[in-house]
Amino acid sequence: MGRLAGVLFLASSGLMLIALPLSPAEASIAGTVASGAAVGCFTIFAPWDAWPRVTSLILVPPAFALIAFGNLYGGREHTYGVFFVVAFVWIGLAHGPWTSLAVAPLAVVAYLVPFVFLPG
């Protein structure tokens, strides 16, 4: 499941690169793409078999932070909800019941904090 998370990080970075020409002029997502790619590369090559399954939960805060940064710097706050869906699907597949409820406060913060800084 850790490697699957890496694939999801890299795929989201790739999708952001593909959508770059369609982004508004005020968008600045290069840092978010680079961060997502860096985390994705780490997760692809990390020795997940040697670590307990709960270790993969360390990927949740960076995932939510990247979603928040993507919303803040991407200039299109209406499209980032799908990344929360993907994150929670991964949590549901990789971990036991109630884990998604335990990380929900982090998701709420990642969802709301960018609105403080977005214009309007």
Side-chain angles (χ1 to χ4, degrees), residues 6-114:
V7 169
L8 293 173
F9 274 111
L10 291 174
S12 66
S13 294
L15 287 174
M16 291 178 86
L17 280 176
I18 291 170
L20 194 58
L22 304 174
S23 298
E26 71 273 4
S28 173
I29 59 174
T32 305
V33 170
S35 300
V39 173
C41 288
F42 164 76
T43 57
I44 292 278
F45 296 110
W48 295 108
D49 298 334
W51 297 336
R53 176 170 247 175
V54 72
T55 306
S56 66
L57 285 175
I58 64 168
L59 299 173
V60 173
F64 288 157
L66 288 171
I67 293 170
F69 287 137
N71 179 34
L72 186 61
Y73 296 117
R76 44 191 165 164
E77 63 275 356
H78 59 279
T79 61
Y80 77 114
V82 70
F83 292 110
F84 282 110
V85 172
V86 171
F88 277 99
V89 166
W90 177 81
I91 291 168
L93 290 172
H95 297 284
W98 305 105
T99 305
S100 59
L101 188 61
V103 300
L106 291 172
V108 169
V109 170
Y111 181 83
L112 293 177
V113 166

